[in-house]
Amino acid sequence: MCPGGVAPVHAPARRRIVDRMDRAGDGDGWVSLAELRSWIAHTQQRHIQDSVSAAWDTYDTDRDGRVGWEELRNATYGHYAPGEEFHDVEDAETYKKMLARDERRFQVADQDGDSMATREELTAFLHPEEFPHMRDIVIAETLEDLDRNKDGYVQVEEYIADLYTAEPGEEEPAWVQTERQQFRDFRDLNKDGHLDGNEVGYWVLPPAQDQPLVEANHLLHESDTDKDGRLSKAEILGNWNMFVGSQATNYGEDLTRHHDEL
């Protein structure tokens, strides 16, 4: 994101997106919570479909309507003879770990175990957070990413290190202190000082949560300056930086889309 806001060249795109939010509902000139939630869900699904379509074109190299593990591996990492993987690159061990991690995720997504992904199975591989049967792999990968001392838990310092790296002599910002409090109050459910797999799962994949509604409520709360429970175009544009950092604009990418692509 550009500090201080989006360049003026995107002003028409901003207004166009706001108009589409309203027209997706009743078109009365205001964006209600329901309309905002519906729009966020729409952009979320469109992003998933677009990413899967792009990946499909890349990975289905033999154009047989399925993506095999070997196709995906070779398209992502290059062709290597068995036992010679990454012999020609620096930090080969890192790439080997990435390859093993992708293969493990592919195997979980490949529900029929034929090493060939249908479009639905490739979607599960690329967007595991959308599929209940991928829950355990999302939790495992999150733990692997954050658990730096490899004790099987996420400590508060590991949690913070994923968000913020202090400069020498720098005082810890208030938002980082808030995150520490969030860890203690809301992440560490059993109050034992760290997160186990269940707590990580509750954090990254909270049960029965309507994520578009959560985000819509947040945007409405932060942008509804007159507190009438709805958003005007002026209120949305007046707090545009927050919308650029949200799914409502696909994190700013929609500013470069044509009208009929929204």
Side-chain angles (χ1 to χ4, degrees):
M1 310 308 162
C2 298
V6 182
V9 68
H10 292 313
R14 300 186 209 180
R15 291 191 292 270
R16 185 171 69 241
I17 291 171
V18 177
D19 288 341
R20 289 297 299 271
M21 289 179 191
D22 180 35
R23 283 205 298 274
D26 55 19
D28 65 352
W30 302 87
V31 176
S32 67
L33 175 64
E35 287 171 335
L36 188 54
R37 184 242 171 247
S38 178
W39 178 259
I40 291 170
H42 163 74
T43 60
Q44 186 179 58
Q45 289 305 308
R46 189 191 63 220
H47 166 69
I48 291 171
Q49 292 165 10
D50 287 352
S51 72
V52 172
S53 293
W56 193 268
D57 291 341
T58 298
Y59 296 145
D60 183 19
T61 54
D62 62 8
R63 300 296 184 254
D64 68 346
R66 298 183 300 171
V67 172
W69 164 245
E70 289 191 7
E71 287 179 300
L72 190 150
R73 180 193 64 198
N74 293 338
T76 304
Y77 295 101
H79 294 257
Y80 289 99
E84 296 186 1
E85 291 87 352
F86 310 117
H87 68 277
D88 55 346
V89 299
E90 294 183 13
D91 202 7
E93 288 306 311
T94 296
Y95 282 97
K96 288 179 181 178
K97 290 177 182 177
M98 291 167 58
L99 174 59
R101 177 165 159 154
D102 278 351
E103 184 172 14
R104 181 183 62 182
R105 186 194 285 193
F106 187 93
Q107 289 171 349
V108 177
D110 177 27
Q111 288 194 282
D112 59 11
D114 64 354
S115 295
M116 302 292 294
T118 63
R119 195 175 188 90
E120 182 79 356
E121 288 170 334
L122 184 65
T123 304
F125 172 80
L126 295 172
H127 298 278
E129 69 284 351
E130 299 294 320
F131 293 82
H133 70 278
M134 301 294 289
R135 179 181 176 84
D136 287 348
I137 201 71
V138 172
I139 293 171
E141 290 179 359
T142 304
L143 269 171
E144 290 166 2
D145 288 341
L146 301 185
D147 179 20
R148 299 189 178 191
N149 66 5
K150 304 306 176 189
D151 65 351
Y153 300 97
V154 177
Q155 312 294 337
V156 64
E157 293 304 330
E158 293 170 328
Y159 174 82
I160 294 298
D162 187 58
L163 303 170
Y164 167 74
T165 302
E167 298 294 334
E170 180 184 26
E171 183 177 349
E172 189 168 88
W175 71 266
V176 176
Q177 296 172 24
T178 299
E179 284 294 338
R180 289 184 185 277
Q181 194 64 43
Q182 289 277 323
F183 183 95
R184 290 190 290 269
D185 292 347
F186 302 110
R187 308 285 185 238
D188 182 15
L189 301 177
N190 62 8
K191 309 305 178 190
D192 63 356
H194 54 227
L195 308 186
D196 59 22
N198 288 331
E199 290 167 321
V200 169
Y202 195 90
W203 164 36
V204 299
L205 295 172
Q209 186 176 70
D210 185 336
Q211 192 56 43
L213 180 59
V214 170
E215 186 160 0
N217 268 310
H218 175 64
L219 290 171
L220 181 66
H221 175 76
E222 295 295 331
S223 306
D224 182 19
T225 54
D226 61 8
K227 305 304 177 186
D228 65 350
R230 60 184 183 175
L231 296 178
S232 67
K233 182 183 292 187
E235 286 174 324
I236 294 173
L237 296 178
N239 198 22
W240 189 247
N241 282 352
M242 178 162 288
F243 280 79
V244 169
S246 81
Q247 189 73 58
T249 64
N250 195 18
Y251 303 101
E253 290 185 17
D254 284 355
L255 293 168
T256 60
R257 281 179 173 263
H258 297 294
H259 185 274
D260 57 0
E261 295 178 324
L262 291 171

